[in-house]
Amino acid sequence: MSKTKNKNLVIVESPTKAKTISRFLGSDFNIKSSYGHLRDLPKKKLGIDTKNNFEPEYVVSQDNQKTVASLKKAAKKAKTVYFATDEDREGEAIAWHLAQLFKTPDEKLKRITFDEITKEAIKEAIKNPRKIDQNLVDAQQARRVLDRLVGYKLSPLLWKKVARGLSAGRVQSVAVRLIAQREEEIEEFKPKEYWVIEAVFKKKNGQEITTKLAKIKGKSLRKFDLSSQKDVNEVKKKIESGEYKVTFLSQKKTTRKPKPPFTTSSLQQEANRRFGYSAKQTMYLAQRLYEGIELGDKEATGLITYMRTDSLNLSDKFLNESRKYIESKIGKEYLPSDPQRYKTKSKGAQEAHEAIRPTSAFRFPQSIKKHIDKKQYNIYQLIWQRAVACQMNPAQAESTTALIGNGEVSFKARGVTLKFDGYLKIYPDKIKENILPPLKKEEKLDINKLKPEQNFTKPPARYSEAGLVKALENKGIGRPSTYAPTIDTIQKRKYVVKEERRLKPTDIGRLVNKVLVKHFPNIVSYEFTAQMEDKLDKIAQNKIEWKPVIKKFYKPFKNNLKKKEMELSKKELTEEKSKYKCDKCGQPMVIKMGRFGKFLACSGYPDCRNTKPLDDKGRIQKKKKEEKTDLKCDKCGAPMVKKTGRYGPFLACSAYPKCKNIKNIEKGTGVTCPKCGKGEIVQKRSRRGKYFYACNQYPDCKFALWAKPTGHKCPKCGSLMLFAKDDMEQCSNKECKHKQEYKEKK
């Protein structure tokens, strides 16, 4: 008899999650992974029957056939099938798709969810199964169908009318609009002058007090009241007259309350601000902590609760546990009389879920530091500190405000002294102390220094990833599961680049945004996109049906597409006049848009094909001087020179055009070739511009790889490991397929 016959089958999305869950369930359970979605819309066609009530066509890709066959076989033998996929809409949809594939009697299929992967949570979930929630499934189907219709219908129009390879997306286009709009604000910004006057006063005993001018003739000074040197000179006369004394003195206690526990967006924002992690990187690290990490007992343990959430709820179990930890490990004075409970202000938040928290308040970060890498530790520590700190007493400070005046003007000084650190004891968000020397009302003081400072207003800063997530959330655009993939997508599409940790729109990103804002305003409308999110929430709550929502959107969208197909001209959209004349035929040059941004082209095309690159400021890029090298051409013996082309620097024969020999400039990896043992694996570029990695002893050694080697060897078969997505590395041996987290060599 088969070992799996009459066992219960539990299906999760990832092997790591399966490994952790297997710890908590006995021999009656068989745990398997679906490796994410197994069924989806086809890649090479729309896959939605727009004439038949938007019926989606779901297919299993060739890559997933083997996994589907294995799961079907296991489901057929199983006594009960438990779908233990994530508790969000996407997880619900994965469970539904699996159920559709299995064609197993409904009474055998059960759905279980849990906020954390711990023994108690898994056992409780098994005791309380439910049916697949069709409302959640339909909400996910509606999102998928909407995004497919926008992407597959609008993208071809952008190909025809703007440039090949472009795409549009329902949420990604709105994100690009925010970034492009901010760039326009920066470009249109005109700095405004203002002055700040600082004075340093001295007490009789020599102690100094730094102050700022706050009032003139009893009237509070506004930011632009001193807008020139002339204004400052006039005020100086008032400052330099008369004696100064303390005219006002106030002391009061201030309270700083702890921040609520993390939601998806606030975790992404704080990790970006504190460590510079991207939204995608933060979610990857949190996913690993949620699914389980091997600690000292060599068994995987789930360290945090589910990381895609917009709820601020904390379970009673955690509230009790954290209060015990605070009382026993930090001190009774830090524990409030009652647990702190938080309510989210986010639209459509699912309050039944929990905020992101550690699975145990007593598993403090230092205790597991040696078992996890630095980045995982940073995220775990941040989550632990925030979740425990939110259950502590507020910090208490004493604030002193003093006004020092001469009857004409008044300067203000403010001091802050921390009296009780409260939650700041464990959460790194300190109050900046500024201690003033003791002062008495009517006490006389002397001006020691006067420092007028000229300032200019600054343009708004470009969005960081954290800032963009906050802006999307504030406008009600997207949900916890969409922020990271949206930001990742717009960078992969080259609509946005990151400069100094800030998001800047590319020329092509700005052009696509301009076209969409003008001709498809609904697609990039903040209000329309937010309203659509609300409708998806209502579908999930069984308040409305999903297909009428799609129908109402699609009809006007389709009509507008047809209209714009006829109206729009590629020339009008992608060409601008320039001040330059063609140096070959004398005709005007025009600014065109290509895959790599703006460039100049002769308006006499195709008779004249002259083009010139442009720099960021729209000026003709100066041709870089050829750089001489010590290398000789292997075809004619002439010196080789270093040039720069579309794909970066390369070597070319100096005897051009007589000799047209060119060579890639090899970028070493420091990895020795495993085949010949002599050469180094270097980066090369194929004729089509695609990079690959090969032995530099070619043609004697023809070893090659399509991905960069990490320098590690596979622990299973000894082959080279290659860099893979999401901070992972995988074996170069296709038969082995071993995959593991990438860790730098120490």
Side-chain angles (χ1 to χ4, degrees):
M1 185 183 281
S2 169
K3 289 181 181 179
T4 57
K5 187 76 173 174
N6 291 326
K7 280 191 175 186
N8 296 302
L9 175 65
V10 178
I11 302 175
V12 296
E13 306 100 312
S14 78
T16 309
K17 193 173 175 181
K19 189 177 179 183
T20 308
I21 287 175
S22 64
R23 285 184 60 194
F24 311 127
L25 297 173
S27 56
D28 289 342
F29 289 87
N30 180 26
I31 323 294
K32 281 188 170 285
S33 169
S34 71
Y35 297 89
H37 279 282
L38 289 176
R39 200 173 75 143
D40 199 3
L41 297 170
K43 284 187 178 179
K44 294 185 178 179
K45 62 177 182 175
L46 183 66
I48 298 160
D49 191 345
T50 54
K51 293 177 182 177
N52 184 25
N53 206 18
F54 303 95
E55 197 61 40
E57 175 196 342
Y58 294 115
V59 296
V60 176
S61 70
Q62 195 63 40
D63 293 343
N64 291 332
Q65 296 283 358
K66 197 173 177 182
T67 306
V68 168
S70 171
L71 290 176
K72 274 185 174 181
K73 190 177 178 182
K76 196 174 181 180
K77 293 177 181 177
K79 184 166 63 177
T80 305
V81 178
Y82 291 94
F83 297 117
T85 48
D86 288 346
E87 60 173 332
D88 55 15
R89 293 175 197 169
E90 194 166 352
E92 204 74 20
I94 291 173
W96 178 77
H97 281 294
L98 288 169
Q100 297 291 305
L101 287 167
F102 292 168
K103 294 178 182 175
T104 304
D106 286 349
E107 59 269 18
K108 275 182 68 174
L109 304 178
K110 297 184 186 297
R111 174 79 169 114
I112 58 170
T113 59
F114 32 83
D115 279 328
E116 59 186 61
I117 305 178
T118 57
K119 187 174 184 178
E120 298 80 10
I122 301 301
K123 293 278 189 184
E124 189 63 25
I126 292 288
K127 283 181 193 174
N128 298 286
R130 61 168 171 82
K131 289 183 178 181
I132 291 170
D133 189 331
Q134 193 61 42
N135 299 317
L136 296 179
V137 174
D138 287 347
Q140 184 63 24
Q141 283 196 98
R143 180 184 289 281
R144 189 76 185 93
V145 169
L146 268 172
D147 292 344
R148 174 57 67 100
L149 288 170
V150 172
Y152 274 50
K153 290 289 185 180
L154 190 50
S155 298
L157 184 74
L158 293 176
W159 278 51
K160 285 182 195 175
K161 305 296 182 180
V162 182
R164 287 181 66 81
L166 298 180
S167 74
R170 194 177 55 83
V171 177
Q172 76 178 48
S173 297
V174 179
V176 174
R177 183 186 178 186
L178 277 166
I179 295 162
Q181 203 169 38
R182 177 59 58 88
E183 197 68 18
E184 286 170 13
E185 289 170 15
I186 293 167
E187 289 171 352
E188 291 167 5
F189 181 81
K190 291 178 182 175
K192 199 172 177 182
E193 184 181 2
Y194 68 98
W195 288 73
V196 173
I197 300 178
E198 198 174 85
V200 178
F201 288 90
K202 187 181 275 189
K203 284 168 62 78
K204 300 295 181 191
N205 62 5
Q207 288 179 303
E208 291 186 338
I209 304 142
T210 301
T211 66
K212 279 186 181 177
L213 182 64
K215 291 183 177 183
I216 301 172
K217 289 280 186 184
K219 188 181 176 182
S220 294
L221 191 70
R222 293 170 300 180
K223 186 172 185 175
F224 297 108
D225 282 352
L226 302 179
S227 59
S228 66
Q229 181 74 60
K230 184 183 174 184
D231 293 338
V232 173
N233 291 339
E234 286 177 8
V235 174
K236 265 188 178 180
K237 293 172 189 174
K238 293 182 174 69
I239 293 171
E240 290 163 356
S241 66
E243 286 187 328
Y244 281 93
K245 61 183 179 180
V246 178
T247 59
F248 175 83
L249 194 61
S250 166
Q251 284 186 320
K252 63 177 181 179
K253 289 182 179 180
T254 59
T255 299
R256 186 188 286 186
K257 292 180 179 179
K259 293 175 181 175
F262 282 124
T263 60
T264 301
S265 68
S266 58
L267 175 63
Q268 289 173 359
Q269 289 170 52
E270 192 66 9
N272 183 258
R273 187 178 70 83
R274 211 178 279 271
F275 310 119
Y277 296 166
S278 69
K280 182 182 178 183
Q281 189 177 21
T282 299
M283 293 314 288
Y284 169 73
L285 294 166
Q287 181 98 29
R288 295 282 293 117
L289 296 172
Y290 166 69
E291 291 184 344
I293 301 283
E294 287 184 5
L295 300 180
D297 56 4
K298 296 293 179 185
E299 289 188 328
T301 303
L303 299 179
I304 65 167
T305 53
Y306 191 53
M307 62 285 147
R308 292 187 183 91
T309 177
D310 46 18
S311 172
L312 295 177
N313 276 346
L314 290 171
S315 68
D316 289 339
K317 170 183 167 284
F318 181 77
L319 290 175
N320 293 333
E321 195 179 67
S322 60
R323 287 175 64 78
K324 284 178 186 175
Y325 179 87
I326 293 162
E327 187 174 15
S328 62
K329 303 290 184 182
I330 302 174
K332 286 183 180 179
E333 66 274 25
Y334 291 92
L335 186 68
S337 55
D338 297 304
Q340 309 280 2
R341 297 184 188 273
Y342 298 87
K343 281 249 177 186
T344 184
K345 293 176 184 176
S346 178
K347 279 186 179 181
Q350 294 173 309
E351 291 295 341
H353 293 170
E354 273 201 80
I356 306 170
R357 62 165 176 82
T359 52
S360 170
F362 282 90
R363 193 179 286 117
F364 55 96
Q366 201 64 32
S367 69
I368 60 168
K369 191 172 184 178
K370 63 182 178 182
H371 302 296
I372 55 180
D373 66 34
K374 187 182 176 182
K375 289 179 180 177
Q376 290 171 344
Y377 176 77
N378 285 342
I379 294 296
Y380 180 76
Q381 184 182 44
L382 200 59
I383 292 167
W384 184 90
Q385 287 173 331
R386 182 81 160 237
V388 175
C390 82
Q391 293 305 308
M392 293 172 68
N393 273 322
Q396 304 286 344
E398 190 171 79
S399 174
T400 303
T401 303
L403 284 179
I404 302 163
N406 65 355
E408 291 282 328
V409 297
S410 293
F411 288 85
K412 183 187 275 188
R414 189 168 182 267
V416 179
T417 309
L418 187 65
K419 294 296 182 182
F420 174 63
D421 54 3
Y423 77 95
L424 297 175
K425 180 92 173 172
I426 66 166
Y427 192 72
D429 192 20
K430 299 292 182 189
I431 290 173
K432 192 175 180 182
E433 288 193 290
N434 177 37
I435 301 170
L436 291 179
L439 292 168
K440 292 178 183 176
K441 201 170 178 184
E442 301 296 318
E443 182 180 350
K444 292 180 179 179
L445 301 167
D446 297 318
I447 281 191
N448 191 31
K449 290 175 193 171
L450 193 66
K451 297 187 284 186
E453 185 184 341
Q454 185 188 35
N455 293 284
F456 291 92
T457 53
K458 293 180 181 179
R462 287 177 179 142
Y463 285 109
S464 62
E465 285 204 13
L468 184 60
V469 167
K470 190 174 182 179
L472 289 168
E473 186 181 37
N474 287 345
K475 290 184 181 293
I477 295 163
R479 287 297 181 259
S481 60
T482 64
Y483 302 131
T486 296
I487 295 170
D488 185 51
T489 298
I490 61 178
Q491 290 179 79
K492 280 181 179 174
R493 301 284 187 203
K494 306 295 182 191
Y495 292 158
V496 170
V497 291
K498 207 181 278 186
E499 283 187 4
E500 297 176 351
R501 288 172 60 177
R502 298 274 170 175
L503 299 168
K504 177 189 174 184
T506 59
D507 287 338
I508 197 72
R510 293 182 76 170
L511 177 59
V512 169
N513 176 63
K514 189 177 173 184
V515 171
L516 293 179
V517 168
K518 187 174 180 181
H519 301 285
F520 296 91
N522 267 6
I523 298 299
V524 287
S525 162
Y526 304 134
E527 295 77 16
F528 177 82
T529 311
Q531 285 166 12
M532 192 58 75
E533 290 293 350
D534 289 339
K535 286 177 183 176
L536 293 174
D537 290 340
K538 285 177 181 175
I539 294 166
Q541 295 156 12
N542 197 25
K543 290 179 180 177
I544 56 174
E545 293 183 11
W546 74 275
K547 288 183 178 178
V549 170
I550 306 295
K551 187 177 182 180
K552 190 176 179 181
F553 162 80
Y554 185 66
K555 193 174 180 182
F557 172 65
K558 181 187 173 185
N559 292 339
N560 195 33
L561 267 175
K562 282 183 181 177
K563 184 183 172 188
K564 298 303 175 183
E565 181 81 40
M566 302 293 291
E567 287 179 0
L568 297 181
S569 157
K570 184 172 183 177
K571 189 172 183 178
E572 288 176 11
L573 291 176
T574 61
E575 289 186 14
E576 302 172 43
K577 289 180 181 179
S578 82
K579 61 183 179 180
Y580 299 105
K581 296 278 185 184
C582 179
D583 55 358
K584 290 187 177 179
C585 72
Q587 293 190 73
M589 299 284 277
V590 293
I591 300 169
K592 285 192 171 188
M593 181 66 70
R595 272 182 71 200
F596 302 98
K598 290 181 178 179
F599 65 96
L600 278 178
C602 181
S603 59
Y605 178 88
D607 298 326
C608 179
R609 296 174 179 262
N610 188 21
T611 62
K612 290 184 182 294
L614 292 171
D615 64 17
D616 291 340
K617 294 180 180 177
R619 300 172 301 199
I620 294 176
Q621 254 180 28
K622 289 181 181 178
K623 200 172 181 181
K624 289 184 181 178
K625 290 182 180 179
E626 293 178 352
E627 193 180 317
K628 292 179 181 178
T629 71
D630 297 329
L631 300 169
K632 299 287 183 184
C633 175
D634 55 2
K635 289 189 177 179
C636 71
M640 297 291 277
V641 292
K642 187 178 177 182
K643 291 188 174 185
T644 302
R646 179 186 288 181
Y647 299 104
F650 65 97
L651 293 173
C653 180
S654 59
Y656 180 86
K658 288 182 180 177
C659 178
K660 296 181 179 179
N661 187 24
I662 61 168
K663 282 185 174 290
N664 291 334
I665 293 175
E666 294 179 348
K667 288 184 182 177
T669 61
V671 178
T672 304
C673 176
K675 190 172 182 182
C676 68
K678 297 177 184 177
E680 181 189 357
I681 304 297
V682 296
Q683 186 188 71
K684 294 195 174 189
R685 185 167 53 83
S686 70
R687 289 179 184 176
R688 295 185 178 182
K690 190 173 180 182
Y691 288 109
F692 67 100
Y693 297 83
C695 179
N696 64 358
Q697 298 298 304
Y698 180 86
D700 296 330
C701 178
K702 296 182 179 179
F703 181 79
L705 301 161
W706 279 112
K708 187 178 178 180
T710 63
H712 301 151
K713 289 194 174 177
C714 177
K716 289 190 174 180
C717 71
S719 300
L720 280 179
M721 296 295 285
L722 309 176
F723 282 102
K725 289 180 182 178
D726 300 324
D727 295 333
M728 300 291 282
E729 59 180 347
Q730 63 187 27
C731 182
S732 58
N733 181 353
K734 290 180 181 178
E735 293 177 6
C736 176
K737 293 183 180 179
H738 176 68
K739 206 171 186 179
Q740 63 188 28
E741 188 177 349
Y742 170 70
K743 290 183 181 178
E744 288 185 32
K745 287 182 177 179
K746 292 182 181 178

